[in-house]
Each structure stands twice: as structure tokens, then as C-alpha cells.
Amino acid sequence: MARAATKISVVDQTGPSERILQILTESARLFATNGYDGTSMRDIAAACGISKSLLYHHFADKDEIFARIALGSTRELCEFVTARIPEDAAPAARIRAFMIGTAEYFHRYRWAWLASTSSFWSDPEARRQKERMMWRDRYEGLLRTLLMEAIEAGEMRPVDVSHAGRLILSSLNWMHRWYKPEKGLTAVQIAETYFDMIFNGLKAEPPAP
């Protein structure tokens, strides 16, 4: 994957500079690989090829960097997926777009996904945790809405929407445990496979008489 494709476009209303993007991208990789406690400002500066003083010019401390990655990733996942759902498509196609959009985000920003996932329930900052939960709820609520629309349109049989949503989200959210970009299917292809399995089932058609 090209280096540019992995940069984290975290939330920043003024538009993050190339240096900020580099710091956040390298920090996400280090946090995901070594954990928060196992990553120092010296490590981040070395990974970016810059001095610690320049790093401190952009960020007050390691916690500020981590907050930008964790909160930015949760918010941008929701916005990234929402933007890829066609408004005029059938409900089932919109669910497929939700799943593929999630996989595409995971593929593009894998290190940020991993760093954010590993820290989701351990963030000591209550306000930050509350905001992340709000964006997570919006993201999951979008899927439940799409599922209800599919049921109402007769594209799905009546099922428990909460359970169906957890099934879909679990299939996508656990990819980071075993997915290897250099082997097998891409993340988007895996999401398409999951969609087919979920909507068309695993049971084989009975043989023709």
C-alpha cells in the first residue's frame, strides 16, 4: 500500500498540515504495535525523522496525539461510511455500501483503527470517552436504520434488528485480529463476501428433482 494512502485525515477544522498527518500516522502505527505505554515522544519523533523539539512544537504531549487519533478515528469512520451510502439505492444495497465503506476505511487507516480499537474502553478522559461513544452510537444507529428499512421493504425477513446489527458489526470489527493485507482477499472483498453470506445464507439450495 502506498504511504499516502495510509495517512490519517483526523478531525481538524483548519485542515491538518502534511507534518501533522505524518506525526499522527506514525503515532497510530506505534500505538497499535507497542501500546500507549510502550510508545514515547522520542519514539514518535524518531519514526517521523524529526527532532523532539519539533514534535513538541506541534503537540503538547503524547496524550494530545493519542486523543487526536482515537477521537478522530471514531468520528471519521462514521462520516466516511455515511458519505458512501447512496441515498436512492435499495435498502439491501445501502447495507452493502455500509459494510464495504467500513472495510475500505479499515483498509486505508488500519493503524488508526487498531490504535483506536485497543484504547476504546480504557481512555481515562471522561469527556473524550463520551464524545467517542456518541460517534460510535451514530455509526451503529445508521446500520440499524438501514436494517429496519430493508425489513419494511420486504428485502429481509423480520428479525431482531439489534442482533442483526451486532452480527454484521462483529464480522467487520474483528477483522483486525487476523487480517493480513498482503495475503488473500482485500478488506473490501471480505466485506462483500460477508454481505453475501448474511443476506443469502450458508444453506445450499436443494438439488433439482
Side-chain angles (χ1 to χ4, degrees), residues 9-17 20 24 59 68 72 75-76:
S9 178
V10 295
V11 178
D12 186 334
Q13 297 302 320
T14 62
S17 67
I20 294 293
L24 293 172
F59 293 97
R68 286 281 299 276
R75 174 176 176 175
E76 287 204 348

Side-chain angles (χ1 to χ4, degrees), residues 53-74:
S53 61
L54 179 56
L55 179 59
Y56 279 110
H57 172 75
H58 292 292
F59 293 97
D61 52 30
K62 182 174 69 172
D63 186 63
E64 182 183 357
I65 299 175
F66 186 78
R68 286 281 299 276
I69 294 168
L71 179 57
S73 179
T74 307

Side-chain angles (χ1 to χ4, degrees), residues 103-145:
E104 185 181 351
Y105 183 89
F106 169 73
H107 173 74
R108 290 191 184 189
Y109 308 114
R110 183 164 170 256
W111 291 121
W113 177 295
L114 292 170
S116 180
T117 298
S118 66
S119 68
F120 195 89
W121 297 109
S122 59
D123 194 333
E125 178 59 54
R127 181 195 59 79
R128 196 161 63 204
Q129 179 77 304
K130 182 178 180 180
E131 188 169 355
R132 291 176 69 188
M133 291 287 286
M134 177 194 73
W135 285 105
R136 186 206 64 172
D137 290 348
R138 286 191 187 185
Y139 167 74
E140 295 184 358
L142 172 60
L143 176 58
R144 288 192 294 271
T145 297

Side-chain angles (χ1 to χ4, degrees), residues 63-207:
D63 186 63
E64 182 183 357
I65 299 175
F66 186 78
R68 286 281 299 276
I69 294 168
L71 179 57
S73 179
T74 307
R75 174 176 176 175
E76 287 204 348
L77 170 62
C78 180
E79 294 178 340
F80 185 94
V81 171
T82 300
R84 280 155 179 77
I85 298 175
E87 295 184 2
D88 56 350
R94 285 160 59 79
I95 294 171
R96 178 179 178 276
F98 177 98
M99 295 178 68
I100 290 175
T102 298
E104 185 181 351
Y105 183 89
F106 169 73
H107 173 74
R108 290 191 184 189
Y109 308 114
R110 183 164 170 256
W111 291 121
W113 177 295
L114 292 170
S116 180
T117 298
S118 66
S119 68
F120 195 89
W121 297 109
S122 59
D123 194 333
E125 178 59 54
R127 181 195 59 79
R128 196 161 63 204
Q129 179 77 304
K130 182 178 180 180
E131 188 169 355
R132 291 176 69 188
M133 291 287 286
M134 177 194 73
W135 285 105
R136 186 206 64 172
D137 290 348
R138 286 191 187 185
Y139 167 74
E140 295 184 358
L142 172 60
L143 176 58
R144 288 192 294 271
T145 297
L146 297 175
L147 290 168
M148 286 188 288
E149 290 175 353
I151 293 172
E152 292 169 357
E155 295 184 346
M156 281 177 55
R157 62 185 175 85
V159 296
D160 185 298
V161 169
S162 295
H163 289 168
R166 281 192 285 270
L167 171 64
I168 292 173
L169 292 171
S170 295
S171 71
L172 299 170
N173 291 341
W174 282 91
M175 278 201 299
H176 73 273
R177 293 290 186 129
W178 53 265
Y179 174 70
K180 296 186 181 301
E182 68 279 4
K183 295 182 180 180
L185 300 177
T186 66
V188 168
Q189 289 171 330
I190 292 169
E192 290 176 331
T193 300
Y194 284 161
F195 174 82
D196 178 66
M197 290 179 178
I198 291 170
F199 269 77
N200 297 320
L202 297 173
K203 186 177 180 180
E205 292 292 332

